[in-house]
Amino acid sequence: MVIIGTRPEAIKLVSVIEELNQNTKYFKPIVVTTAQHRELVDTVFKLFNIKPQFDCNIMQSKQTLTHITTLAVKKLTRIMDIVNPDIVLVQGDTTTAFSGALTAFYHRIPIGHIEAGLRSFHKYNPFPEEMNRILIGKLADWHFAPTELAKQYLINEGVNPEKIYITGNTGIDAVLKFAKQSIRPTIPEIKTINWQRRIILVEMHRRENWGKPLQNVCTGLIEIAKRNKDVEIVFPYHLNPVVQKTVDKILAREERIHLFKATNYADFIWLLNQSYLILTDSGGIQEEAPILGKPVLLLREVTERPEAVKAGIVKVIGTETEKVITETQHLLDDKATYRTMAQKIPLYGDGKAGKRIIHIILNQFGYRKSLPREFQQPII
C-alpha cells in the first residue's frame, strides 16, 4: 500500500508506483490518497495517470492538524482492515505520512519510509514536519535515506544500520523526467511576463511562515522589484487561503510581480528552468534546484538539507525584510557569487531512487538475492 496526501508526496512517489506497476509478478500496488491537499494532489494524479484505489477525501476548509491526523487515521484504519497489505510505504514528513505510519503500526504492518533521516534538529522548524519525520522514523521497519548524512542521522538515533538504505531522493526521478521536456506551459499568466528579464521565482507555504514572516517577505519583494527594472517576480502561491489572503493583500497590484495559483508539476519545473534565482521555504525545491543549476535563497531559519548549503547552492536567509532585500540584491549584482551558486550538482539523486527502493523491497521479501548499488553523492 502506497499512501499519498499532498502534491510533494505524489510527485516523489510516482517513480515508486511506476516501478511497482512494472513488477506485478511480485506486487499488487494499492494506492491510497487521504487528499490532505485535494486540488493540488489531484493535478499530479492527472499528470501521471495515477488512479488511487481508495480516496479518503479528508480535506476541509481551514483544516487543522488535529483534523487531518484524526480523520486520516480513522479512514486509513477502515482501508487497512479491508486490504491488510504486506507493507505500507509512506513518503517524507507530512501529517498524512505520519498518520499512515501510525495506522500501519497499529495493524502490525511493516512500514517503509521513503526520504528517511532528514533532520533540522528544531522541534518547530519546520512545523509539524520535523516531528512527523522523527516519529515516522521510530515506527518504520525500512528506512530509504536519500543521502549518507541522512543515514548517519538515523544511526545516531539508534536505527539498525542494516535497515537503512541510501537510495537518492525520488523527487529527482521526477525532475529529470520533466526537465528534459521543452513543453511551454498553458498558464494564462505567462503571457504577461517579460521572459527576457531576469526571473525571480518565489514559493512560500510553510505553517511557521504564515502571518508576519510571509508579510515581511512580500514587503521585501516590492522593494526588490522597485530597485531592479530588469527583474520580473513570479509567485505561484499556495492554495491555502491563509497564504492567498496575505499575498493578494500586499502584492496584487504591484508592477512586475505576477501572482497566480499554484501550477501543475510539469509547469512548475518549466518555471524553475526559466528562473534566474529562487526564493522559497520549500524542502523539495532545495533538492530540485541544484540539479537544474538554480541558486536558492531559503526563507527559513534552519534546513534539514544541509548538503546544498555546504555546496554553496542554497543560502539560509530567514524572513526578515531587510535580509531578503540584501541577499537577493547581492545575487542580482554580484556575478561571481551568482556563478558559484548556479552550479549543476546532482546532490540528492541520479534518477534511479524508485528502482533502488523496489529492488530493496524485493530483496527483503526474498525475491532478489542482491541489493542495488547505493546512490553515490558527489563529494562537496
Side-chain angles (χ1 to χ4, degrees):
M1 178 178 290
V2 182
I3 299 175
I4 302 171
T6 66
R7 181 171 72 167
E9 285 170 285
I11 291 165
K12 292 185 174 185
L13 285 167
V14 164
S15 64
V16 175
I17 293 169
E18 288 177 344
E19 288 298 318
L20 288 170
N21 287 331
Q22 290 175 19
N23 287 273
T24 53
K25 178 181 177 181
Y26 305 105
F27 298 108
K28 180 184 178 183
I30 304 294
V31 178
V32 178
T33 181
T34 65
Q36 178 180 333
H37 292 164
R38 173 87 274 169
E39 187 175 343
L40 290 175
V41 76
D42 283 350
T43 64
V44 181
F45 291 153
K46 182 178 179 180
L47 180 65
F48 291 95
N49 195 30
I50 295 172
K51 298 175 181 177
Q53 284 89 339
F54 294 92
D55 189 333
C56 300
N57 196 29
I58 68 169
M59 184 174 174
Q60 293 182 2
S61 177
K62 298 181 180 179
Q63 61 190 2
T64 65
L65 294 172
T66 301
H67 160 79
I68 297 168
T69 307
T70 54
L71 198 55
V73 169
K74 184 177 180 180
K75 293 201 172 187
L76 289 171
T77 294
R78 294 173 185 167
I79 296 168
M80 289 188 199
D81 286 344
I82 296 169
V83 177
N84 189 29
D86 296 297
I87 178 173
V88 166
L89 296 179
V90 297
Q91 193 282 326
D93 50 25
T94 69
T95 303
T96 283
F98 168 60
S99 301
L102 183 62
T103 309
F105 167 69
Y106 287 162
H107 285 73
R108 296 179 181 266
I109 298 168
I111 301 157
H113 186 200
I114 297 167
E115 196 180 80
L118 275 62
R119 299 290 184 268
S120 69
F121 302 102
H122 191 296
K123 187 175 182 179
Y124 296 109
N125 280 292
F127 173 79
E129 288 86 355
E130 177 70 1
M131 287 309 300
N132 281 345
R133 53 188 169 228
I134 289 172
L135 294 168
I136 296 169
K138 298 299 183 185
L139 297 169
D141 299 272
W142 296 287
H143 307 260
F144 304 114
T147 64
E148 176 65 43
L149 184 60
K151 177 178 180 178
Q152 191 57 54
Y153 286 159
L154 289 166
I155 292 172
N156 293 347
E157 293 175 3
V159 176
N160 182 352
E162 293 182 0
K163 294 297 182 181
I164 308 170
Y165 308 91
I166 303 174
T167 61
N169 197 297
T170 53
I172 303 304
D173 298 1
V175 173
L176 292 175
K177 180 175 183 176
F178 278 96
K180 297 174 183 177
Q181 300 180 11
S182 57
I183 301 171
R184 194 172 179 84
T186 57
I187 313 164
E189 289 84 359
I190 68 168
K191 297 176 182 178
T192 67
I193 300 168
N194 185 342
W195 295 99
Q196 302 306 310
R197 293 174 174 158
R198 292 185 289 181
I199 305 298
I200 298 177
L201 181 62
V202 182
E203 198 281 338
M204 286 187 76
H205 66 276
R206 291 198 177 275
R207 285 176 181 266
E208 66 267 25
N209 279 340
W210 291 1
K212 183 63 173 172
L214 180 56
Q215 293 169 16
N216 289 344
V217 172
C218 288
T219 302
L221 295 177
I222 294 172
E223 183 62 26
I224 292 164
K226 287 180 178 177
R227 293 185 186 184
N228 301 276
K229 302 301 182 184
D230 67 330
V231 160
E232 302 262 341
I233 297 174
V234 178
F235 196 154
Y237 55 74
H238 199 273
L239 296 181
N240 186 288
V242 176
V243 176
Q244 285 189 46
K245 185 176 180 181
T246 301
V247 172
D248 280 338
K249 183 177 179 181
I250 301 174
L251 298 178
R253 289 171 292 279
E254 294 297 325
E255 186 180 0
R256 285 178 291 106
I257 298 179
H258 307 270
L259 308 177
F260 47 89
K261 290 183 179 181
T263 63
N264 70 48
Y265 180 69
D267 288 351
F268 191 75
I269 294 299
W270 187 88
L271 289 172
L272 276 179
N273 255 331
Q274 303 304 313
S275 65
Y276 186 76
L277 64 91
I278 302 157
L279 275 68
T280 187
D281 61 7
S282 166
I285 292 175
Q286 293 176 69
E287 300 156 353
E288 294 160 346
I291 206 161
L292 298 175
K294 303 299 178 180
V296 173
L297 296 177
L298 188 62
L299 304 168
R300 290 168 56 182
E301 301 302 325
V302 293
T303 180
E304 60 289 310
R305 295 167 173 87
E307 297 94 341
V309 177
K310 183 180 178 182
I313 297 169
V314 172
K315 186 171 184 178
V316 182
I317 66 170
T319 57
E320 292 299 322
T321 300
E322 285 305 315
K323 186 76 169 176
V324 171
I325 296 170
T326 301
E327 294 291 349
T328 304
Q329 197 62 52
H330 180 60
L331 263 185
L332 291 171
D333 293 341
D334 191 320
K335 292 182 179 179
T337 300
Y338 180 85
R339 283 194 298 270
T340 299
M341 291 188 70
Q343 303 176 68
K344 286 188 177 183
I345 305 177
L347 281 176
Y348 294 105
D350 57 3
K352 301 176 183 178
K355 290 182 180 294
R356 289 191 182 95
I357 289 167
I358 299 311
H359 188 153
I360 292 162
I361 294 172
L362 286 169
N363 170 268
Q364 294 299 292
F365 280 88
Y367 294 112
R368 289 262 183 110
K369 292 182 179 180
S370 64
L371 287 168
R373 185 171 181 267
E374 291 189 323
F375 167 61
Q376 301 294 311
Q377 191 176 35
I379 297 173
I380 53 177

